[in-house]
Amino acid sequence: MDTLQHDGDEMEWKESARWVKFEEKVEEGGERWSKPHVSTLTLHSLFELRTCIQTGSVLLDLEGYSLPQIVDDIVDRQVADGLIGPELREKVSFVLLRKHRHQHKKPIHLSLADMGKSNNSPTSDSASGLHHSTEDLRAKSGSLGRLRESMKNKFMKKIPRDAEASNVLIGEVDFLDKPFVAFVRLAQATTLGGLTEVPVPTRFLFVLLGPHGKGKSYNEIGRAIATLMVDDLFSDVAYKARDRDDLVAGIDEFLDEVIVLPPGEWDPKIRIEPPKKVPSADMRKSVLNLNELGQVNGTAGGPGGGEDEEMPTPHELGEELQFTGRFCGGLWLDIKRKVPWILSDFSQGFHIQSISAVLFIYLGCITNAITFGGLLGDATDNYQGVMESFLGTALAGTVFCLLGGQPLIILSSTGPILIFEKLLYESNTIDYMELRLWIGLHSCLQCLILVATDASYIIKYITRFTEEGFSSLISFIFISDAIKKMVGSFKYYPINRVFKPDYVTTYRCDCIAPDQGEPLLFSSFAAVSPPHIVLPPYNLTGLDWSQLSKKECVKYGGALLGNACKYVPDLALISFILFFGTYSMTVSLKKFKTSRYFPTKCRSLVGDFSIIISILVFCGIDYLLGLDTPKLHVPTEVKPTRPDRGWVVMPFGKNPWWVYVASGVPALLVTILIFMDQQISAVIVNRKENKLKKGCGYHLDLFWVGILMAVCSFLGLPWYVAATVISIAHIDSLKMESESSAPGEQPQFLGVREQRLTGILVFVLTGVSIFLAPVLQYIPMPVLYGVFLYMGVASLAGIQFWERIKLYLMPAKHQPDFSFLRHVPLRRVHLFTLVQIICLAVLWTLKSTVAAIIFPVMILGLMVVRKMMDLMFSQHDLAWLDDILPEKDKKKEKDGKKKKDNKRTKAAEPESDEEPKSPLPPPVKIPMDTIGLPSAPDPPSPPSLTVSSPPSLTHLAPRL
């Protein structure tokens, strides 16, 4: 929008505001553009604009290729319509063809944010402001001119591709006694020299010239038409309108959605920040349709957890879980669904964001593999240990990511599997490895039967209630385990409260030689060593025991004596600093992505690599301090942890024949665990909130998990299933956001970078980690525990259950504006949350005892509890707090069809002689003599505007 500026007899057009998506004003004092903000219009200006369109000249599909030609056509139309006299032709043309000055002046000193931006976009010499700059800028050096061009190039990047401009010219002149108004739509968008700030072709032109004294009203009308032109619905009307009546109808439609803020109850000087998420035009159309049906806000239920109102939608998991009734029908459909995406599954992985995701998930996987492998070694007397855990993770993960239906899922071992392995090993009457092999084979067969019979259909009955309970439990396990390990560091590295610096001279530790009666050959240590370790004899004759180190003294059988022998440096504190520092720095760098500092690319890069940066920083701090903090221990040789077992387990020869058949009973528990853990994790990953586009593969995933069960059983490796928390972290590390082009526009979540490359690389790196031991041994374990804590906390984000728990601690006036709070009473929300808390507490208690072997059955129990909640809550409440069960959807669909049939029956009834009552209030007459605009031809004098019932877009559609 340009306004006419007077400097004595000289006149020029000066840019005063612009709209790409939101409004930006020229701040004269600061010599800069204002912060993008939502346009606030006066209702009076919209009615005045409506009169302008009704009474002014409207030229649609004008053939114009230059500004002088377009101005001549506008003036000719005004003269032909009798709106101005012929004697004013030259004066109006002279004013409209004055030069345009744009706001492109920038300070010489750039901020770091400006320096960090590149200018790669070319501009033509016809760009606005290039040959219409002011005298002071012409006198600047060539570097300042290049700086100006750089600023324009940066703005050009913010404009969407193939955008067209709408120019608004507002001015006061002394030779007119009534306003000169024209609305022009060109047949083809044309670049009109310096009319625009950047070389964007112009499609629309709005001109308003009037007598002096009404400049403020003219400016508000200009802002009104400019705001309408960036509105999706009105701009669509403007492109398709055939005459002025269509434009007036579009303004009336806009007025239908205008919300008036009463004066005196808000500060108009405050600029409204752009919203984080702008509703699309489709959503606005649906709102209009709902209003036409007479629905009132609050009467419709819908799934909610955010701030947007939504209609209730059935609990649909897509065609992936449709029961086919054919042998392997679901598996075949999964394969057909995934084949077209094979190439893109690899090509889309070549992105810098994938590097961050690989390193992040890799560190989480090896930490989990080492932790689980150590616990498994203790539980099974090293029949399975860290080496088996590494190789099993690499093998199972690589195969699954390469061939699975949802490669974003990360396989790992779980706590219930560890407890099952422990109980299985304690049955000493039969051979453990052979029994485990047959259990794995039976479980594989049972999984394949489930795949062949489309048993994954049962997942349709897993609603948000079960998903949130399961994912919250796994998240809390991650958080509690990380904290437990850090608390344990205070046990191994206690704080020396008894140590007093003043008595440091009295602290000593001496190495005492063994008794002379003992043999001089060292054999005491060999007696307590594992039988497979053979120690060489040491000659201890003439050894100076006082000069030995602590490790050498113990190694040679000496005794340590003194009050400083048990002294350990206070490593607990530095371990806690590394642990909490890694977590807090990761959280801060993740939030840095949406901060105000530095260019967008820099912030995005820091946000994507936040975890890697945090790990490197605190590993560097640990290295510089040089303290003996616990480090990551990785095997260095590829061999079984227990030397008396091989890499292949033989299926026969060590157990009675009946064991081969009876092992199918415990295998059933394993199958239930595998099925529930795998499919619930898959449902969480495939939620519609993640906007996945390549489809799911529940049957295909379960097929490969079953096959890998058999393979790992033959090789004596741990069993693997989907890891919920690590999979959610994988999704989070691959999220894509739009590059905010329009000033003030917030980045929008576009979806997830769906590919197989990151998962494959993670597990390949896990397999070769044994060769990276010299590097990995510098990573402190507290740093990795901090990564575990971040995974657990981050996976809680966005869970409605967690948000509802926090509502217990908030007064009603401070509670967030969640959509379910608008439609469900707070007491019912608290009751629903309480049931979930009780179920979570039962699962937690069960997980912590020996009864954890029936954990998968309790997951099925959650589905039973959810079924019983239909008796406690109405379907309306469950629609907002949870997903409705499939059979309830069918009932709701039938009810909806009945309502639609009743409405159609009423609509088909013959119309009566009486006119239908309009839902809008009666016409309102508003005087329009404020700026001296002439009235519309139809209404009688005095000048006024009659606002009748505006036609809806549905009625306008035939005309367009």
Side-chain angles (χ1 to χ4, degrees):
M1 184 176 79
D2 291 6
T3 55
L4 188 62
Q5 303 291 322
H6 296 266
D7 185 8
D9 295 335
E10 294 293 330
M11 289 182 293
E12 69 174 357
W13 294 99
K14 185 179 183 304
E15 193 172 17
S16 58
R18 69 185 181 193
W19 288 254
V20 177
K21 200 176 188 71
F22 302 98
E23 181 177 0
E24 296 175 86
K25 292 182 179 179
V26 173
E27 295 175 335
E28 296 288 350
E31 296 182 348
R32 65 173 187 175
W33 286 104
S34 70
K35 187 177 181 180
H37 56 278
V38 179
S39 299
T40 51
L41 307 176
T42 61
L43 188 60
H44 198 68
S45 66
L46 290 171
F47 286 120
E48 289 174 331
L49 173 63
R50 190 178 189 274
T51 301
C52 288
I53 298 297
Q54 285 182 319
T55 60
S57 297
V58 176
L59 291 79
L60 301 179
D61 295 330
L62 177 66
E63 295 290 343
Y65 302 99
S66 65
L67 185 58
Q69 175 196 345
I70 296 172
V71 170
D72 289 340
D73 291 340
I74 295 174
V75 175
D76 290 343
R77 175 62 67 85
Q78 288 271 333
V79 173
D81 293 342
L83 298 178
I84 63 171
E87 69 280 0
L88 298 178
R89 180 194 302 269
E90 293 185 2
K91 292 183 178 180
V92 173
S93 299
F94 177 80
V95 171
L96 294 180
L97 294 175
R98 291 299 84 204
K99 68 179 182 179
H100 293 258
R101 179 161 59 92
H102 302 286
Q103 178 66 23
H104 49 61
K105 191 162 71 172
K106 293 288 180 179
I108 298 178
H109 300 287
L110 288 178
S111 65
L112 291 176
D114 288 332
M115 290 179 181
K117 295 180 179 179
S118 61
N119 53 337
N120 300 323
S121 300
T123 57
S124 62
D125 292 340
S126 61
S128 61
L130 185 62
H131 52 278
H132 295 301
S133 57
T134 55
E135 293 297 331
D136 57 340
L137 283 180
R138 289 175 184 170
K140 297 292 183 180
S141 62
S143 61
L144 205 60
R146 289 191 297 270
L147 173 61
R148 185 182 65 210
E149 288 301 310
S150 173
M151 294 301 174
K152 290 193 299 181
N153 293 344
K154 292 167 188 173
F155 177 63
M156 193 67 187
K157 293 180 181 180
K158 298 178 180 294
I159 300 176
R161 184 176 298 178
D162 300 328
E164 296 177 346
S166 300
N167 291 98
V168 180
L169 304 179
I170 305 298
E172 297 176 279
V173 292
D174 53 6
F175 54 83
L176 290 176
D177 56 359
K178 62 180 181 180
F180 173 98
V181 181
F183 180 88
V184 180
R185 183 183 69 197
L186 300 179
Q188 297 293 333
T190 306
T191 302
L192 301 177
L195 187 62
T196 55
E197 179 182 1
V198 287
V200 176
T202 296
R203 187 63 177 266
F204 295 93
L205 196 65
F206 180 83
V207 180
L208 173 56
L209 297 177
H212 283 286
K214 304 296 182 182
K216 184 176 181 181
S217 297
Y218 301 156
N219 188 71
E220 290 301 315
I221 295 174
R223 293 181 60 248
I225 185 62
T227 303
L228 262 69
M229 292 306 298
V230 295
D231 180 75
D232 291 334
L233 297 186
F234 183 82
S235 63
D236 188 55
V237 172
Y239 271 99
K240 298 178 181 179
R242 296 183 179 180
D243 52 34
R244 75 173 72 239
D245 292 337
D246 291 345
L247 295 173
V248 173
I251 296 176
D252 292 337
E253 195 74 47
F254 184 85
L255 284 167
D256 275 350
E257 299 183 72
V258 168
I259 298 175
V260 178
L261 295 177
E265 298 185 11
W266 73 293
D267 187 0
K269 296 181 181 179
I270 296 176
R271 292 170 177 167
I272 302 176
E273 292 280 343
K276 292 183 178 180
K277 184 178 181 181
V278 180
S280 65
D282 294 335
M283 293 180 63
R284 289 173 56 192
K285 290 177 183 177
S286 64
V287 170
L288 290 175
N289 294 334
L290 293 179
N291 292 336
E292 291 176 1
L293 294 177
Q295 293 193 4
V296 183
N297 182 26
T299 60
E307 301 174 357
D308 298 332
E309 295 289 334
E310 299 178 4
M311 290 296 295
T313 55
H315 176 62
E316 295 181 355
L317 292 175
E319 61 178 7
E320 295 87 353
L321 291 177
Q322 298 298 327
F323 184 75
T324 63
R326 301 189 305 272
F327 180 77
C328 293
L331 177 63
W332 175 245
L333 291 178
D334 282 349
I335 295 175
K336 289 176 62 178
R337 192 179 301 112
K338 303 306 292 187
V339 165
W341 303 102
I342 291 178
L343 294 179
S344 64
D345 281 345
F346 291 93
S347 61
Q348 293 184 4
F350 292 95
H351 191 272
I352 191 172
Q353 188 181 23
S354 300
I355 300 176
S356 170
V358 168
L359 295 177
F360 171 36
I361 303 302
Y362 163 68
L363 290 173
C365 284
I366 63 170
T367 306
N368 194 45
I370 290 174
T371 303
F372 183 83
L375 296 175
L376 195 59
D378 294 338
T380 63
D381 195 17
N382 285 329
Y383 274 105
Q384 297 178 80
V386 176
M387 175 57 66
E388 287 78 9
S389 181
F390 263 80
L391 296 180
T393 302
L395 172 64
T398 304
V399 172
F400 184 85
C401 288
L402 187 62
L403 303 174
Q406 181 50 269
L408 296 177
I409 292 177
I410 300 297
L411 295 190
S412 179
S413 298
T414 60
I417 289 180
L418 173 63
I419 295 176
F420 182 86
E421 297 269 19
K422 183 178 180 181
L423 295 176
L424 193 64
Y425 178 75
E426 291 176 353
S427 57
N428 296 323
T429 57
I430 51 182
D431 184 75
Y432 163 68
M433 295 301 291
E434 187 176 295
L435 173 63
R436 183 179 178 277
L437 168 61
W438 280 97
I439 291 177
L441 293 177
H442 278 287
S443 182
C444 172
L445 178 61
Q446 293 166 3
C447 287
L448 295 181
I449 293 174
L450 293 176
V451 171
T453 56
D454 290 351
S456 295
Y457 174 77
I458 194 177
I459 301 302
K460 293 178 71 73
Y461 294 89
I462 296 180
T463 63
R464 186 189 297 270
F465 176 86
T466 307
E467 293 173 28
E468 291 182 342
F470 181 79
S471 60
S472 298
L473 175 67
I474 304 301
S475 299
F476 288 144
I477 289 175
F478 263 68
I479 295 172
S480 65
D481 285 350
I483 294 176
K484 282 181 181 178
K485 293 180 185 301
M486 285 310 307
V487 172
S489 64
F490 287 86
K491 175 182 178 181
Y492 294 103
Y493 307 104
I495 296 178
N496 299 280
R497 300 178 181 177
V498 186
F499 180 80
K500 296 181 180 180
D502 190 45
Y503 297 151
V504 68
T505 55
T506 64
Y507 289 97
R508 59 181 300 174
C509 180
D510 297 325
C511 180
I512 306 300
D515 294 339
Q516 298 298 326
E518 294 183 0
L520 295 179
L521 290 179
F522 172 62
S523 60
S524 60
F525 182 71
V528 297
S529 299
H532 60 276
I533 298 178
V534 180
L535 294 176
Y538 294 96
N539 186 5
L540 306 180
T541 305
L543 189 64
D544 188 358
W545 295 91
S546 62
Q547 301 299 321
L548 297 180
S549 65
K550 179 179 177 181
K551 291 182 179 180
E552 292 174 342
C553 181
V554 175
K555 180 178 180 181
Y556 297 146
L560 297 171
L561 182 64
N563 51 12
C565 293
K566 296 184 178 181
Y567 174 78
V568 178
D570 294 331
L571 297 179
L573 179 59
I574 186 61
S575 297
F576 181 79
I577 292 175
L578 297 176
F579 164 74
F580 189 74
T582 303
Y583 166 76
S584 57
M585 186 174 184
T586 302
V587 173
S588 301
L589 292 181
K590 276 290 183 183
K591 293 181 179 178
F592 183 74
K593 196 171 186 177
T594 58
S595 71
R596 303 173 185 265
Y597 304 101
F598 297 100
T600 304
K601 291 183 179 180
C602 178
R603 287 187 277 113
S604 178
L605 198 63
V606 171
D608 291 339
F609 286 85
S610 57
I611 299 167
I612 306 304
I613 294 174
S614 302
I615 291 174
L616 292 178
V617 167
F618 284 94
C619 286
I621 292 175
D622 176 77
Y623 180 77
L624 292 176
L625 293 177
L627 296 177
D628 191 18
T629 53
K631 299 296 192 299
L632 183 65
H633 293 288
V634 182
T636 56
E637 296 182 28
V638 183
K639 63 180 182 179
T641 305
R642 189 180 177 96
D644 58 349
R645 60 150 287 193
W647 281 119
V648 178
V649 179
M650 303 306 297
F652 303 104
K654 295 185 179 180
N655 290 328
W657 66 268
W658 57 266
V659 174
Y660 309 144
V661 180
S663 57
V665 177
L668 183 60
L669 284 176
V670 177
T671 302
I672 297 176
L673 171 63
I674 294 294
F675 179 83
M676 298 304 298
D677 206 345
Q678 174 67 38
Q679 302 297 47
I680 291 179
S681 299
V683 169
I684 294 173
V685 168
N686 294 322
R687 289 287 295 185
K688 62 181 180 181
E689 288 84 356
N690 292 329
K691 297 183 179 181
L692 302 182
K693 300 177 182 179
K694 296 185 179 180
C696 315
Y698 295 96
H699 311 280
L700 187 58
D701 288 345
L702 187 60
F703 172 81
W704 284 112
V705 168
I707 295 296
L708 290 171
M709 282 279 294
V711 174
C712 291
S713 299
F714 267 111
L715 298 178
L717 304 178
W719 295 323
Y720 294 93
V721 73
T724 307
V725 171
I726 300 181
S727 299
I728 294 175
H730 192 205
I731 289 280
D732 184 65
S733 63
L734 292 171
K735 285 184 176 179
M736 298 183 296
E737 291 183 341
S738 62
E739 296 182 1
S740 54
S741 56
E745 184 180 7
Q746 298 292 331
Q748 301 297 320
F749 173 59
L750 300 179
V752 179
R753 201 174 301 280
E754 301 178 64
Q755 36 72 49
R756 301 177 183 271
L757 203 57
T758 55
I760 293 174
L761 289 177
V762 164
F763 292 111
V764 169
L765 284 176
T766 303
V768 301
S769 293
I770 52 178
F771 306 108
L772 302 177
V775 178
L776 297 178
Q777 65 182 358
Y778 290 102
I779 301 179
M781 290 303 294
V783 170
L784 298 181
Y785 296 153
V787 174
F788 264 48
L789 178 64
Y790 171 78
M791 284 184 178
V793 174
S795 61
L796 289 175
I799 297 180
Q800 189 195 86
F801 173 47
W802 180 242
E803 299 296 335
R804 284 189 273 106
I805 289 178
K806 294 189 287 186
L807 292 179
Y808 279 109
L809 308 177
M810 297 182 189
K813 64 180 179 180
H814 295 306
Q815 292 174 353
D817 188 21
F818 294 127
S819 56
F820 59 83
L821 291 178
R822 301 181 185 180
H823 300 271
V824 183
L826 185 60
R827 64 181 182 279
R828 306 292 293 174
V829 174
H830 286 336
L831 178 60
F832 187 88
T833 308
L834 180 62
V835 174
Q836 281 187 291
I837 293 176
I838 294 174
C839 292
L840 181 62
V842 172
L843 289 176
W844 182 272
T845 304
L846 185 69
K847 185 260 327 172
S848 305
T849 61
V850 180
I853 194 172
I854 63 171
F855 178 79
V857 180
M858 295 304 298
I859 297 295
L860 288 173
L862 286 180
M863 300 171 63
V864 178
V865 174
R866 170 60 184 87
K867 180 70 175 178
M868 297 174 59
M869 293 179 72
D870 282 337
L871 305 176
M872 301 172 56
F873 296 89
S874 66
Q875 295 302 307
H876 171 270
D877 293 349
L878 291 175
W880 287 101
L881 297 174
D882 191 30
D883 295 323
I884 301 179
L885 295 177
E887 65 270 13
K888 302 295 181 181
D889 291 337
K890 297 177 182 178
K891 294 180 181 179
K892 293 189 71 176
E893 289 177 3
K894 292 180 180 178
D895 295 340
K897 290 181 180 179
K898 290 181 180 179
K899 291 181 180 179
K900 290 181 180 179
D901 293 340
N902 293 336
K903 290 179 181 178
R904 291 174 182 173
T905 303
K906 292 180 181 179
E909 293 178 356
E911 297 181 358
S912 61
D913 296 336
E914 299 179 0
E915 294 182 359
K917 295 183 180 180
S918 173
L920 297 175
V924 181
K925 292 186 176 181
I926 300 177
M928 298 301 298
D929 55 355
T930 307
I931 63 170
L933 288 173
S935 61
D938 296 334
S941 183
S944 64
L945 170 65
T946 302
V947 182
S948 59
S949 301
S952 66
L953 284 177
T954 56
H955 299 140
L956 183 60
R959 296 179 58 85
L960 302 184

